[in-house]
Amino acid sequence: MDYSATLNADSTSDHDPVEQRGAPRYASLIRAAKLVCGQGEFICVIRDVSATGVSLRTFHALPQEQQIALELQNGETYDIEEVRREGFEASYRFKDEIEVDKLIQETWNFPKRQLRLNIALPLTISSLSGSGDATTVNLSQQGARVECDAAFAIDQTLKVTGSAFPDTRAKVRWRRDSHYGLVFDNTLSLRQFALLAASVQCPSMLDDMPA
């Protein structure tokens, strides 16, 4: 999900190392992105950004990896290193200075689409005519690309279930050999999406979640 609103703010804080970096700060940049590291791919929300650093928030514990990248919805990737963290919020420094306007505008070289995670999630897909085991190739809030040996038709309505996935109905949008593009009837909230991804890839990230 892409929440986009930017406000150019020149003020800095005496307490935040990232805000002391000597570059103009852009506040209130509320946009979904993902953190990519050895532990997996995890949803985050960018809160503010400058040419040298970025502050963000996750919905669960932050990754512990030293090598980490921030990937936008358009596929652009930035290598970052942690400066500080507090709870589910953290500040990172870009390893190379960036063009802030380019990140904010998030230009697209292809049709705009939802943020996708490349995770393998086992599912069962069923219809009135039969069912089959499937595995996600990638997953978004609104749908998934899955691999399944069972045969389903374009526009066919399916039931999608899984141990880590909320039961939902979906429609087949396209098919290529054993690969299907599914669109969910019910869109996952960004929080649901984030917690689902963490539970599949690194369940320990959910250990400190509030009750």
Side-chain angles (χ1 to χ4, degrees):
M1 184 176 294
D2 182 3
Y3 315 88
S4 296
T6 60
L7 173 64
N8 190 349
D10 293 327
S11 60
T12 59
S13 167
D14 292 334
H15 304 290
D16 188 342
V18 170
E19 294 180 7
Q20 298 176 32
R21 56 203 166 210
R25 179 170 174 262
Y26 288 79
S28 300
L29 174 65
I30 310 302
R31 179 175 300 165
K34 66 180 179 180
L35 295 171
V36 182
C37 62
Q39 291 175 278
E41 300 185 352
F42 305 99
I43 298 296
C44 66
V45 176
I46 300 173
R47 299 175 68 93
D48 64 75
V49 63
S50 81
T52 55
V54 63
S55 295
L56 53 82
R57 189 183 194 284
T58 56
F59 295 86
H60 46 68
L62 291 151
Q64 298 294 331
E65 297 281 335
Q66 296 298 314
Q67 300 295 323
I68 194 165
L70 176 69
E71 184 174 325
L72 307 183
Q73 294 186 45
N74 66 357
E76 292 180 354
T77 302
Y78 302 88
D79 292 329
I80 55 177
E81 54 187 10
E82 186 176 314
V83 175
R84 70 165 180 85
R85 67 168 61 195
E86 182 177 350
F88 297 166
E89 298 184 12
S91 297
Y92 293 85
R93 180 181 296 109
F94 293 116
K95 289 190 176 180
D96 299 300
E97 189 167 311
I98 69 162
E99 297 180 31
V100 176
D101 289 343
K102 182 179 178 182
L103 187 152
I104 291 175
Q105 293 169 8
E106 197 169 357
T107 55
W108 295 78
N109 296 320
F110 47 83
K112 194 170 184 179
R113 65 182 186 180
Q114 286 280 314
L115 188 67
R116 301 184 182 192
L117 298 181
N118 299 304
I119 57 177
L121 179 65
L123 300 172
T124 298
I125 299 177
S126 57
S127 68
L128 294 177
S129 59
S131 65
D133 294 329
T135 303
T136 59
V137 177
N138 59 52
L139 182 69
S140 75
Q141 292 174 254
Q142 296 181 337
R145 176 175 180 172
V146 303
E147 185 173 9
C148 182
D149 290 334
F152 300 108
I154 303 295
D155 290 333
Q156 186 170 4
T157 298
L158 307 174
K159 182 178 180 181
V160 182
T161 60
S163 59
F165 189 81
D167 292 359
T168 189
R169 304 191 74 81
K171 184 166 288 188
V172 179
R173 284 304 185 205
W174 57 263
R175 177 185 179 184
R176 298 190 191 100
D177 300 321
S178 60
H179 286 242
Y180 294 86
L182 305 182
V183 175
F184 303 141
D185 282 0
N186 298 314
T187 299
L188 297 171
S189 70
L190 193 62
R191 184 176 187 277
Q192 284 179 310
F193 190 32
L195 297 181
L196 171 63
S199 70
V200 172
Q201 301 173 102
C202 191
S204 62
M205 287 184 169
L206 305 179
D207 289 347
D208 296 328
M209 295 292 295

